[in-house]
Amino acid sequence: MDDLIKRAAADLSAAARSVALTGAGISVESGIPPFRGKGGLWEKIDPMEFAHIDAFLADPEKVWTVLIREMKEIIDRAAPNAAHRGLARLAELGRLNTVITQNVDGLHQAAGNTDVIEFHGTFARQRCLDCGTGCDTAEIDMSVIPPRCHCGGIYRPDCVFFGEMIPPGHLARSREISANCDVMLVIGTSATVQPAAMMPYIARSAGATVIEINPEPTPLTGDISDYILTGPAGEVMDRLVTAVEAAG
Ligand code: OAD
């Protein structure tokens, strides 16, 4: 593993443009459970019953009670971990241009990354289903579920539900960045949800080196990934950043 990390760090140091694609696994060490795999949210609840836009619109109170309120409590308690801090350090060193994240927890920005594409939106903002007014999630009155706007309409988080489109600008920019990077770090994603999962394929087919960090294999492992750094994101990122710093 030491040698792999050293070689991956050398590629990262030599890259003119690099990008990270992150998923729920990068926030596991911050106390936010993933969706799939051991302890995953979708083991406990059916995403089609609670995370599909039709389910939300049919019964917002149920989805707020079972899913969104709990997400708020978990995200409120979470702070960036060593992996988020590692990506912020890489950006500070000029070794990382952009983070494309499938996460809605805001932890990359909290760690200090400034160019972050929130592919599935953000939990930090809400918008009213009726009048469209937006507000910070921190400001909404949670004493009544579902929370309501001053116009009486129900709030929804500014996240992408199943059945909704990725914001077109986010998708277009992510594709472009992926097609033009030299190195893509793929951290903590099962790489199973489209269209985010296509970014490593776009990068690889344009000639980029793909560095995957995950304790478990994914569909990218052995096919798309040039380096497979097996382990929890925080520990592996610490070692990778140290190696990049040593490479100068
Ligand atoms: P998943 O929950 O599908 O996958 C989490 C990945 O993180 C798995 O590959 C785990 O092996 C890995 N993992 C677990 N612990 C880890 C750790 N400590 N360090 C690094 N990796 C670890 O999450 P995503 O791929 O992000 O979409 O899921 C994609 C989308 O599916 C989410 O954005 C969400 C979900 O449905 C929407 O809500 C639209």
Side-chain angles (χ1 to χ4, degrees):
M1 181 91 157
D2 274 350
D3 183 51
L4 264 187
I5 288 188
K6 231 187 225 174
R7 285 193 283 129
D11 283 0
L12 203 46
S13 299
R17 305 178 81 85
S18 67
V19 56
L21 172 70
T22 67
I26 197 169
S27 295
V28 164
E29 289 152 86
S30 295
I32 303 178
F35 298 98
R36 297 170 187 80
K38 211 171 71 187
L41 189 60
W42 302 153
E43 256 180 9
K44 293 186 201 123
I45 60 171
D46 175 359
M48 290 306 124
E49 199 185 335
F50 292 99
H52 196 285
I53 187 62
D54 294 344
F56 179 74
L57 295 175
D59 194 346
E61 185 180 341
K62 180 171 107 174
V63 174
W64 264 100
T65 304
V66 175
L67 178 64
I68 308 176
R69 185 164 53 184
E70 193 182 326
M71 267 178 81
K72 182 174 183 317
E73 282 165 14
I74 291 172
I75 291 175
D76 280 352
R77 284 197 302 266
N81 65 51
H84 300 103
R85 291 194 297 274
L87 289 180
R89 177 72 181 137
L90 289 181
E92 192 181 60
L93 292 168
R95 299 291 180 227
L96 179 69
N97 298 89
T98 305
V99 177
I100 304 169
T101 188
Q102 296 163 86
N103 301 342
V104 297
D105 55 31
L107 293 181
H108 289 301
Q109 295 91 326
N113 283 103
T114 51
D115 189 4
V116 180
I117 300 174
E118 293 181 304
F119 202 80
H120 289 157
T122 174
F123 195 75
R125 300 276 301 164
Q126 303 283 327
R127 66 176 189 270
C128 172
L129 284 179
D130 288 354
C131 71
T133 301
C135 80
D136 286 345
T137 301
E139 282 166 17
I140 56 174
D141 175 7
M142 295 283 293
S143 63
V144 180
I145 294 292
R148 289 180 185 271
C149 171
H150 50 74
C151 82
I154 292 170
Y155 277 126
R156 58 156 292 168
D158 238 338
C159 308
V160 175
F161 281 89
F162 282 110
E164 291 191 301
M165 297 242 309
I166 303 301
H170 290 5
L171 179 57
R173 183 157 181 250
S174 298
R175 293 179 80 123
E176 199 215 309
I177 285 172
S178 300
N180 289 291
C181 66
D182 306 305
V183 169
M184 177 177 276
L185 281 162
V186 181
I187 309 174
T189 176
S190 61
T192 51
V193 176
Q194 295 294 354
M198 82 172 57
M199 300 307 152
Y201 291 84
I202 293 173
R204 181 67 198 270
S205 64
T209 298
V210 176
I211 302 170
E212 186 177 14
I213 301 176
N214 200 310
E216 305 289 337
T218 74
L220 306 175
T221 315
D223 187 11
I224 291 297
S225 301
D226 295 283
Y227 295 98
I228 297 142
L229 307 181
T230 306
E235 183 192 314
V236 175
M237 276 301 295
D238 261 350
R239 293 171 67 184
L240 185 63
V241 172
T242 303
V244 168
E245 285 170 336

